[in-house]
Amino acid sequence: MTVIALTAATAAPSRAGWFTQAGQVLRRWLIATLRQVWGPVMSLIQPVIWIVLFGQVFHSLGALPQFGGDGYIDYLVPGILMMTVLYSGAWAGTGYIDDINSGVMDQYLTSPVSRSAIITGPLVQQLIISLAQSLVVLGIGWLAGARYPGGLGGMLMALGVATLLAAIFCCASTAVALTARSQIALISLSQLIVLPATFLSTTMMPADLMPQWVQDVARWNPMTWAVELGRGGLNGTFPDNGWWQIGGLTALAALAFVWAVRSIRAYQRSV
């Protein structure tokens, strides 16, 4: 089935539209996901541990005034939501390395398929997975005791911001994968980035409770922007600096996409 899907994508005539090409690439990646669905499912174990374990261990912190009286679980869930898509997105490039090693990427690059379509198809696939994971995390949070006063609109806002954050790290992971062409290098670099990005933000703790230098870093950390926007959406309160945070995340997503497209073209020139 994978061979058939790949043939359909690479054999598409040059007159095929961009959306058709991207759709064919997306179809192949979705088939691969369904065949290995255990990967996205297993990635949900971590947020369950974070929400249940951290939510109980640090439950008493919710009484502090910095948490606004909402309780620690309500504060934690938006952070775990963004952390889940961050980790998932950081691993997105592994699929490209598999394609490089199996020769699939070479077949794509010798076909008339647009290079941006080759990037967009897997990106959409990853965003679909991230959206599904986000819904599960919100459900787990609800079962753990979190409540979302922002209602449906607030949840949609949090899901939208999570998708935007996922797009940034999916594209960045793709660019790194096409440049390094090594699973070990990609995984090592991902761990080097995602852990500081998580803990140097307001994912687990309000800025007022962190050292000053951490506050300074967190203020310019895109993870903080996403967490604060998601938290505001779920709580029904839009952050004061929310518009420039949305603008910053959108700009980073666009730059990361351009980086990914340039990386696949650089890869093509090198082979």
Side-chain angles (χ1 to χ4, degrees), residues 91-182:
W91 286 70
T94 57
Y96 286 91
I97 296 176
D98 290 338
D99 280 356
I100 290 173
N101 294 335
S102 64
V104 172
M105 183 60 69
D106 292 338
Q107 295 183 48
Y108 271 131
L109 296 179
T110 56
S111 73
V113 178
S114 169
R115 303 304 171 246
S116 60
I118 298 175
I119 298 297
T120 303
L123 173 60
V124 174
Q125 175 250 7
Q126 288 292 332
L127 295 184
I128 291 173
I129 293 175
S130 295
L131 180 59
Q133 292 174 329
S134 298
L135 289 170
V136 173
V137 170
L138 290 179
I140 294 171
W142 177 272
L143 293 175
R147 294 299 178 262
Y148 313 127
L152 179 60
M155 286 189 285
L156 290 176
M157 176 179 171
L159 292 172
V161 172
T163 302
L164 193 58
L165 183 68
I168 295 172
F169 283 89
C170 284
C171 290
S173 178
T174 296
V176 172
L178 292 170
T179 303
R181 308 172 197 178
S182 166

Side-chain angles (χ1 to χ4, degrees), residues 145-239:
R147 294 299 178 262
Y148 313 127
L152 179 60
M155 286 189 285
L156 290 176
M157 176 179 171
L159 292 172
V161 172
T163 302
L164 193 58
L165 183 68
I168 295 172
F169 283 89
C170 284
C171 290
S173 178
T174 296
V176 172
L178 292 170
T179 303
R181 308 172 197 178
S182 166
Q183 294 277 18
I184 296 176
L186 176 61
I187 293 172
S188 300
L189 186 59
S190 296
Q191 293 299 320
L192 185 64
I193 294 175
V194 297
L195 287 177
T198 299
F199 290 101
L200 295 177
S201 71
T202 56
T203 299
M204 307 290 181
M205 203 68 59
D208 293 344
L209 297 179
M210 297 188 293
Q212 185 60 49
W213 73 269
V214 178
Q215 294 184 37
D216 295 336
V217 174
R219 186 176 298 111
W220 300 103
N221 185 348
M223 183 67 170
T224 295
W225 304 346
V227 169
E228 294 298 324
L229 287 168
R231 189 170 287 138
L234 294 178
N235 291 336
T237 56
F238 191 77

Side-chain angles (χ1 to χ4, degrees), residues 1-9 24-25 27-35 108:
M1 181 67 72
T2 301
V3 174
I4 296 174
L6 175 60
T7 302
Q24 290 289 351
V25 178
R27 178 174 177 271
R28 173 181 171 268
W29 280 67
L30 286 175
I31 292 174
T33 299
L34 292 175
R35 288 181 171 180
Y108 271 131

